[in-house]
Amino acid sequence: MIRDLLLGLGSGLLLGWIGHHARLLSRSGAVGIAVAVIFTFVGGGWTWGIPLLLFFLSWGLWRRYRAPYKAVLHERFDPRTRIDAPNVGGRVGWAMLMVLLYVITGERTPIFFAFVGAIATATADVWATELGMLSSRPPRLINTGARVMRGAAGAISLLGLVASLAAASLTGFAGLLLQMAQAWLTQRPWGGMYNWLPLAATLGGTAGCLTDSLLGATAQAIYYCEHCEKRTEERIHFCGEETNQIRGWPWLDDRGVDLVSSIVGATVTAGVAVWLAQISARW
């Protein structure tokens, strides 16, 4: 417990400080990431904390990658926009609930599957967004196939889909390797239930990422700034003007979409992993 507390405290505070110093995180975002990392290490241990750290690190790295170019393409990548606590909560809120559920129940395997699925979804969506922006071809809306501007809610591209698959599968493999390492260090018998985690996380993370795009194209609230003559996802535009809603549900913003998609990803991952483990046990 002391070891996990020190690991979480050190890595969480360091990650939050670096992100804030690099102008990626607001103060609330830095605090949110620090709290999430510390809570995960203390509640679940290093096998739970490391996947979360990998997600936050990749989020920051891909956000910095070709940032000036992406800022020209879409305002959501404007350097003045920083990740805040609601953004962090939308991305990893469901994963944090899985950690709490594990602390309360002590039931490790199915809840760990769901935790990895939520992280796989968040990672897949970030990679798809940050790398899909760099596609040489304009993306298309997931529900209609119409060409839209890069960065539009609900837009998908081939590059983004490939990135999401890679991110989800890598998250699943990380979860598997960490469980194998823990079993080896503790001399615990390896039951093999985690062997299906990479496949399950790939399916779950991709399903969650596509759910994010579908909700973004249909249900998410989208606004229009008459002053700038631009669509936006914010009630108050960068220019300071209040915007007019043109579609979607007013209570569903991009943070809500992130949360719902992570629930889908966690459910699919846990369901597939448990189902495959049960089938393989009968062979």
Side-chain angles (χ1 to χ4, degrees), residues 109-264:
T109 306
I111 297 177
F112 183 74
F113 290 157
F115 170 81
V116 171
I119 299 299
T121 299
T123 309
D125 186 52
V126 165
W127 286 35
T129 301
E130 298 291 342
L131 294 179
M133 282 289 297
L134 305 176
S135 174
S136 59
R137 297 182 178 180
R140 296 179 181 270
L141 278 180
I142 188 174
N143 59 330
T144 66
R147 292 187 182 275
V148 291
M149 64 180 293
R150 292 176 176 84
I156 60 172
S157 66
L158 179 59
L159 179 59
L161 288 173
V162 172
S164 67
L165 282 168
S169 62
L170 286 174
T171 303
F173 274 110
L176 170 62
L177 292 175
L178 288 166
Q179 290 297 326
M180 292 178 67
Q182 186 181 57
W184 179 74
L185 290 172
T186 60
Q187 300 299 309
R188 189 183 69 206
W190 181 251
M193 276 196 71
Y194 295 97
N195 290 340
W196 296 106
L197 187 53
L199 175 59
T202 301
L203 295 175
T206 304
C209 187
L210 291 175
T211 299
D212 186 286
S213 297
L214 183 61
L215 290 175
T218 57
Q220 181 182 341
I222 300 297
Y223 304 88
Y224 183 76
C225 177
E226 295 183 355
H227 179 265
C228 300
E229 298 183 343
K230 287 184 178 180
R231 290 192 175 197
T232 179
E233 300 176 17
E234 304 297 332
R235 294 178 184 271
I236 305 298
H237 200 223
F238 281 114
C239 64
E241 293 293 324
E242 188 173 349
T243 58
N244 299 315
Q245 184 181 350
I246 56 176
R247 71 164 173 84
W249 299 332
W251 51 268
L252 186 62
D253 59 10
D254 61 329
R255 289 88 167 176
V257 169
D258 290 338
L259 181 60
V260 173
S261 64
S262 67
I263 295 173
V264 172

Side-chain angles (χ1 to χ4, degrees), residues 27-44:
R27 288 186 179 180
S28 69
V31 172
I33 283 181
V35 170
V37 171
I38 294 169
F39 175 71
T40 302
F41 269 93
V42 173

Side-chain angles (χ1 to χ4, degrees), residues 18-29:
I18 291 175
H20 183 64
H21 183 72
R23 301 181 182 274
L24 291 173
L25 303 173
S26 67
R27 288 186 179 180
S28 69

